[in-house]
Amino acid sequence: MIRKIIHIDMDAFFASIEQRDNPGLRGKPVAVGGSSDRGVVAAASYEARVFGVHSAMPSKIAARKCPGLIFVKARFDVYKADSAKIMDIFWDYTDLVEPLSIDEAFLDVTSNKKGIPSATLIAREIKERIREKTGLTASAGISINKFLAKIASDEDKPNGLFVIKPDEVMDFIGRLAVDDFFGVGPRTAQKMHDLGLFKGEDLRNADLQMLIRNFGKAGIFFHQIANGIDERPVRPHRERKSVGIENTFHEDIATRDEMLTQLEKLEKGLWERIKKHGAFGKTVTLKVKYNDFDQITRSHSSSEPFVNPGQLVSVVKDLLNLANPEKPVRLLGISVSNFPPREDSGPLQLTIDFD
């Protein structure tokens, strides 16, 4: 049976929410995030993207690229509330919903709760319901597998709907630049170019053993998707790998006392997340990023999960001694991982770092 996979991706989610809630921001270049020299852009409106502003860009560079850029402080409680409304809409159509982040998800609607035979009609209906419920727009990609559905959702942004039909798959992939393939970053793309691989058709016709020699197991994956093969299922629950919290400071901190004070704040926040998600892990990791952007991590593992905040505090202090930071520090982070197996590990918990 040919699968029907939809990828829904909200359009400039954080920035669009800010423009929705503040009419004075509509039509203007907006960046969500800190505006200080140490700030980072969490999201950019389409008006800002025209100037080359994008997420994860230092705010200082973003302001230089777009002199009229308006910085807005992030409101995560609002974003999460809108995300919950959107995810509830997805669940009305199928139980096979795999959230990738707060603002995007895969849906397998091969068999769906409403008995709608067309994935395109389902996607269009979902987009309309999102607009009615939240006042926001989403883009949808529809195809026979996850790789193609995700590629398709980027084809007609914003507020787009793009379908790659089964009989169009091979032609579409053949024309697709290898730079746009899932898992192909700038370095891998350059390596492919050096090997004479520029389009999906080149990958498709390439010798499999040559791809394996140059890219390892990823070479097999690249060859498969170049041939339209992607059997990855839509997984409604993904195993949680870690729960973490971190903070980038407005000014570097240099003394142990300052670090301990900041770590105490992080420990309290992390413990609330641990309790909320029932994520009691056996490994604690301390992350330290210096003012020159060098970064180290130090970890401690126990035979049993850490089940009270006192254990966490003691371990983090010991890890700070092991880290022995001798340079000013711009970021500290703590995470727990190595969770005991359980029947339902819940959704993947992401660490988000904003100034």
Side-chain angles (χ1 to χ4, degrees), residues 14-288:
F14 295 176
S16 293
I17 289 175
E18 297 303 332
Q19 290 178 318
R20 176 198 66 189
D21 294 349
N22 184 348
L25 297 177
R26 294 173 190 171
K28 297 180 180 179
V30 174
V32 176
S35 59
S36 68
D37 288 346
R38 305 176 66 83
V40 177
V41 174
S45 69
Y46 283 97
E47 294 86 355
R49 295 182 187 187
V50 172
F51 293 87
V53 178
H54 57 77
S55 61
M57 174 180 284
S59 298
K60 190 174 182 178
I61 295 176
R64 197 159 54 232
K65 284 180 172 288
C66 180
L69 189 62
I70 302 170
F71 286 92
V72 179
K73 186 177 180 180
R75 298 181 297 151
F76 293 112
D77 55 339
V78 177
Y79 308 152
K80 290 177 182 178
D82 276 311
S83 176
K85 294 175 185 176
I86 293 163
M87 295 297 168
D88 284 344
I89 292 172
F90 297 161
W91 289 103
D92 284 345
Y93 293 85
T94 176
D95 287 330
L96 296 177
V97 177
E98 180 180 345
L100 299 181
S101 66
I102 194 172
D103 65 342
E104 63 174 318
F106 284 116
L107 292 76
D108 187 331
V109 296
T110 310
S111 298
N112 59 86
K113 295 178 180 181
K114 294 183 178 289
I116 301 174
S118 168
T120 304
L121 291 177
I122 293 174
R124 185 172 290 120
E125 189 173 299
I126 287 174
K127 279 165 49 68
E128 290 173 356
R129 288 186 60 189
I130 290 174
R131 185 64 177 264
E132 293 171 359
K133 190 84 171 178
T134 67
L136 303 170
T137 63
S139 293
I142 304 104
S143 197
I144 62 172
N145 59 44
K146 292 167 77 171
F147 168 71
L148 288 167
K150 190 164 184 9
I151 292 290
S153 67
D154 279 331
E155 284 290 307
D156 193 25
K157 271 185 166 291
N159 198 24
L161 190 151
F162 192 86
V163 184
I164 304 173
K165 298 177 182 178
D167 59 355
E168 300 170 343
V169 166
M170 297 306 281
D171 285 343
F172 181 88
I173 295 176
R175 298 191 303 270
L176 190 66
V178 295
D179 308 58
D180 295 329
F181 272 55
F182 177 80
V184 176
R187 291 184 181 178
T188 302
Q190 185 57 56
K191 189 172 183 179
M192 287 185 175
H193 295 168
D194 293 343
L195 293 168
L197 306 173
F198 297 93
K199 301 286 186 180
E201 184 177 8
D202 300 327
L203 268 177
R204 183 186 304 154
N205 296 327
D207 178 70
L208 178 58
Q209 293 306 313
M210 182 274 289
L211 293 176
I212 294 173
R213 281 197 306 272
N214 284 278
F215 304 104
K217 291 182 180 179
I220 300 174
F221 176 73
F222 296 147
H223 192 261
Q224 287 179 331
I225 57 177
N227 283 278
I229 301 169
D230 179 7
E231 302 297 339
R232 292 174 299 159
V234 173
R235 299 184 184 278
H237 297 291
R238 295 189 293 167
E239 183 182 357
R240 181 185 290 114
K241 300 298 183 183
S242 67
V243 174
I245 188 169
E246 55 189 44
N247 186 33
T248 301
F249 308 118
H250 290 285
E251 295 182 359
D252 298 330
I253 58 177
T255 69
R256 178 181 170 80
D257 286 344
E258 287 178 306
M259 294 176 198
L260 287 173
T261 297
Q262 294 298 330
L263 285 172
E264 183 178 352
K265 296 177 183 178
L266 290 175
E267 288 160 355
K268 291 178 180 177
L270 178 59
W271 190 251
E272 289 303 313
R273 296 186 185 189
I274 290 172
K275 290 192 298 180
K276 178 180 178 181
H277 298 284
F280 300 98
K282 298 179 182 179
T283 299
V284 177
T285 300
L286 171 68
K287 175 180 174 182
V288 180

